[in-house]
Amino acid sequence: MNWWQKLKKNPLASLGAIILLIFYLAVIAADFVAPYDPYASQFNGSLLPPTQIYWRTEQEQFIGPHVYPTTQGAVDLETGERLLTVDRQKPSPLRLFVSGSTYNLFQISLPLPPKFQEVKIFTGIPCNLHLFGTAGEGKLNLLGTDEQGRDQFSRLVHGGRISLSIGLVGIAISFPLGVLIGGISGYFGGWIDGVLMRVVEVLMTIPYIYLLVALSTVLPPGISSAQQFLLIVVITSFVSWAGLARVIRGQVLSIKEREFVQAARAMGGKPLYIIIRHVLPQTATYLIISATLAVPGFIVAESVLSLLGLGIKPPDPSWGNLLSVATNASILVLQPWLIWPPAILIIVTVLAFNLLGDGLRDALDPRSQQR
């Protein structure tokens, strides 16, 4: 039984993979999935609760799922809550594949600093079709609206682009560095091992929170929050490979003494070829576990940094800064719909990565494959 079949027979790993696939597909096509522009405010629509869906009119006539135009009304002096004004004379039916704001589907660009021109890898497909919406004046705010009257569900979907991609960027930079330097250090030993491990020890002593604060103050002015956070992730990724390199070095020290490595060396294999072809693949199980744990770590770090004001800043959405409103006690009590969705998405994403990582570890473990 190969590893792919074993992975498919693991229900928890399959569940994690399906959840991640749905999340990544949703954020890639965020403009299509989101019913509204995440930056557009609705008139008199600040802090609206999730829209109530009706099936019958006031006259008890069945017309299918629909909503009504809803705005904020006066404040209830006893409870402090805002009363809602619902126009029951204008039912707006819910529809799939409705026309709305225009966008470029699947547009891919690099958020470079302002002195460089933005690099558009793919300009996208001009489109104004959205997955769902309303036919009428009513708005369908699945998760309510924020203080600026912006649709929370649309901001949540668009914010996932940053939160879900930031971990992939981090491991794409830090893992190759850690694996290669740890492999070279463990294989050659001697003075090379001594120099590289001293560098690793220096990097491991750097307090990351102070480094991030310092980086946020010296970055060039005028860059967007996405550009600023991308630069911070790139810079910190270049110094976060130290722990991985130290573990890989320890594994390579034992792997290089095995028979297949000795045979490759006796047949005249070059050291770099032996490291890449024979030694490092033996660390695949540990790398998979580390990668599946590192990606959620970057997602959580983005949330913490946004809470401290060092990450993505409004009006640009991310799961971290959407969750940062939890510091406001009144919102925590009166508008809980602004807090629970990003918190649940972060928890589910971290859990899905861990489930998938455990499944891959069991499927790729050479000892289980031998059994």
Side-chain angles (χ1 to χ4, degrees), residues 37 49 80 84 98 141 148 197 276 294 306 310 328:
D37 185 342
L84 300 180
V98 298
N141 305 121
Q148 304 298 322
M197 286 301 101
I276 296 177
S306 296
L310 303 177
N328 189 326

Side-chain angles (χ1 to χ4, degrees), residues 104-124:
N104 290 327
L105 185 63
F106 302 130
Q107 177 176 322
I108 303 175
S109 59
L110 295 178
L112 298 177
K115 64 181 180 179
F116 301 100
Q117 293 184 351
E118 186 180 42
V119 178
K120 291 186 177 180
I121 302 176
F122 180 61
T123 56

Side-chain angles (χ1 to χ4, degrees), residues 12 57 71 73 82 110 144 148-149 159 182 208 256 282 285 294-295 301 304-305 332 339 354 363:
L12 293 179
T57 64
T71 56
R82 284 186 176 272
L110 295 178
Q148 304 298 322
Y208 286 101
K256 73 176 184 179
Q282 300 299 313
T285 301
V295 174
V304 175
L305 291 177
L332 188 63
I339 299 169
N354 289 335

Side-chain angles (χ1 to χ4, degrees), residues 211-224:
L211 176 62
L212 294 173
V213 173
L215 289 175
S216 65
T217 60
V218 301
L219 289 176
I223 63 176
S224 66

Side-chain angles (χ1 to χ4, degrees), residues 163 166 229 298-306 312 318-321:
S163 299
I166 210 69
F229 192 72
F298 277 101
I299 295 174
V300 174
E302 184 271 326
S303 304
V304 175
L305 291 177
S306 296
I312 304 297
S318 77
W319 292 352
N321 65 19

